[in-house]
């Protein structure tokens, strides 16, 4: 089971890289819109996050409050990306919120023990 958990974790990190990297590319290009990398990253994050929340460890599961917090953040990011994916341009505040929530989600994963 540890191998499955590690594969899910690896895919989860790839989703994070796609989401944050795609957002950085759009931000620094000056044309702020949601690109396909961001959408795929958000989807991968939610799907692998749900898989990682399964009890695959030897009794060292994360706190339920942490899992719920990460799920809510992941779903919020996915909704923000999904519903603005076809817009030619996205509001700067909306786009910054996607970036900030992505970073907060990573911070919850790292610092909440």
């Amino acid at each position: 089971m540890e191998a499955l958990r590690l594969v899910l974790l690896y895919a989860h990190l790839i989703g994070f890289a796609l989401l944050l990297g795609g957002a950085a590319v759009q931000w620094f290009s000056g044309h702020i819109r949601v690109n396909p990398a961001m959408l795929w990253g958000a989807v991968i994050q939610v799907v692998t996050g749900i898989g990682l929340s399964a009890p695959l460890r030897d009794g060292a599961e994360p706190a339920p409050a942490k899992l719920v917090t990460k799920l809510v953040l992941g779903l919020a990011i996915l909704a923000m990306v999904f519903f603005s994916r076809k817009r030619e341009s996205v509001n700067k505040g909306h786009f910054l919120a996607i970036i900030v929530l992505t970073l907060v989600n990573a911070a919850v994963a790292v610092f909440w023990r």
Side-chain angles (χ1 to χ4, degrees), residues 14-101:
I14 289 172
F16 174 75
L18 284 169
L19 181 58
L20 193 59
V25 166
Q26 293 304 116
W27 184 263
F28 292 120
S29 75
H31 184 67
I32 301 174
R33 65 185 308 259
V34 172
N35 61 25
M38 293 173 64
L39 179 60
W40 279 105
V43 170
I44 291 169
Q45 285 268 275
V46 170
V47 171
T48 58
I50 290 170
L52 284 168
S53 68
L56 298 175
R57 297 163 202 81
D58 300 340
E61 284 81 19
K66 176 182 178 179
L67 296 176
V68 169
T69 302
K70 286 193 55 67
L71 178 64
V72 168
L73 286 169
L75 290 175
I77 294 165
L78 179 60
M80 293 173 74
V81 168
F82 182 79
F83 291 116
S84 59
R85 74 188 187 284
K86 293 186 179 179
R87 293 184 187 160
E88 190 58 38
S89 180
V90 179
N91 184 320
K92 196 174 193 178
H94 179 86
F95 201 79
L96 275 174
I98 292 171
I99 293 171
V100 167
L101 287 177

